Amino acid sequence: MTPAPTAAPTAVVTGASSGIGAATARRLAAAGYRVVLTARREERIEALAAELAEAGRDAVPYVLDVTDRAAVDAFAASLDGRCDVLVNNAGGAIGTEPVASADPADWRTMYEVNVLGVLNMTQALLPALTASGDGTIVVLSSTAGLATYEGGGGYVAAKHGSHVIAETLRLELNGQPVRIIEIAPGMVRTEEFALTRFRGDAEKAAKVYEGVAEPLTADDVADTVAWAVTRPSHVNVDLLVVRPRAQASNYKVHRGS
């Protein structure tokens, strides 16, 4: 479906089919944005758009693979030059193998979505974001983009990449009417992140959160994103790290008995 022109500010959210992306779309829609939901799973974003419409919100689903540059360019053209906020949320981790035995194909997949996906969307929508006179780009990175840990080499490398994109953009766009916000979540329990990382092994995925009374939820992160986006135009949240109280670092987590 092609989004039609509107007077409301438009927020594009990638990876909006579940988890943090879906929660962020709900938050921004509630804040008055016309939300364009992008993801590969058509049925998921259509269901979310219907949910938001029933609540009186303005949302449009658009099937999109952020790693497909031609598709991203076609999507950008469909917006007719209107984009006020871009939330680069699409991403994910695959595997926990050490560097010595990791599958390069997994690393390539993570790099393409976490880094090149952010690059594709940002390049394609930057003209519209700049033309808005008050654009905002959000990069959902991770604490993995700030510190390393064993078994996370590929994901850590990819998230360091997305972190550096945000830092570099902030330097290169200084003086332009576009803010660059980076939100770096720590341990977040969603329905799919750990399950995907462990290749569908539900038992291994559950152990990630074992004994942690209250890991972050997708809504916790979405609340943080919406807060940062809705600050006055002159306020830029360069980097916001958000973790559950039980997590002091990527590798130090309090687990109750």
Side-chain angles (χ1 to χ4, degrees):
M1 181 183 299
T2 299
T6 177
T10 296
V12 173
V13 181
T14 68
S17 58
S18 65
I20 294 171
T24 297
R26 291 186 180 98
R27 288 278 183 165
L28 292 179
Y33 285 88
R34 178 175 184 270
V35 181
V36 182
L37 314 166
T38 72
R40 292 176 298 175
R41 293 178 291 184
E42 183 175 12
E43 71 286 352
R44 291 285 193 97
I45 55 174
E46 285 187 346
L48 179 54
E51 172 200 316
L52 292 173
E54 188 174 349
R57 316 299 187 196
D58 191 358
V60 176
Y62 192 106
V63 177
L64 182 65
D65 180 348
V66 298
T67 69
D68 183 338
R69 184 52 187 261
V72 168
D73 288 340
F75 166 71
S78 78
L79 295 175
D80 292 327
R82 183 64 192 264
C83 183
D84 302 270
V85 176
L86 166 61
V87 180
N88 284 301
N89 167 73
I94 305 172
T96 57
E97 295 81 9
V99 172
S101 58
D103 186 342
D106 290 339
W107 282 47
R108 184 174 297 109
T109 296
M110 287 186 281
Y111 188 86
E112 286 178 351
V113 67
N114 290 287
V115 182
L116 296 183
V118 173
L119 177 67
N120 288 338
M121 294 297 295
T122 299
Q123 286 184 335
L125 295 181
L126 188 56
L129 287 157
T130 304
S132 75
D134 190 18
T136 298
I137 298 172
V138 179
V139 175
L140 259 298
S141 61
S142 167
T143 54
L146 307 174
T148 60
Y149 57 91
E150 294 167 284
Y155 182 61
V156 166
K159 284 303 187 183
H160 269 72
S162 60
H163 166 65
V164 168
I165 287 176
E167 282 197 334
T168 307
L169 274 172
R170 201 172 297 115
L171 294 170
E172 293 175 345
L173 297 181
N174 183 243
Q176 298 297 312
V178 181
R179 297 183 297 180
I180 312 298
I181 296 169
E182 180 183 357
I183 307 295
M187 178 181 283
V188 185
R189 185 169 197 164
T190 64
E191 65 268 31
E192 294 183 321
F193 179 83
L195 194 63
T196 299
R197 181 166 213 169
F198 288 100
R199 310 178 197 281
D201 189 322
E203 185 176 349
K204 286 184 178 180
K207 286 186 179 298
V208 171
Y209 312 101
E210 192 172 66
V212 181
E214 292 181 294
L216 296 180
T217 67
D219 201 51
D220 291 328
V221 180
D223 183 47
T224 302
V225 173
W227 174 82
V229 167
T230 56
R231 293 311 84 208
S233 298
H234 69 288
V235 177
N236 192 91
V237 180
D238 282 14
L239 171 62
L240 195 159
V241 175
V242 53
R243 290 187 174 104
R245 184 171 61 185
Q247 184 181 35
S249 73
N250 288 343
Y251 48 84
K252 184 173 179 63
V253 179
H254 175 72
R255 300 179 188 273
S257 54

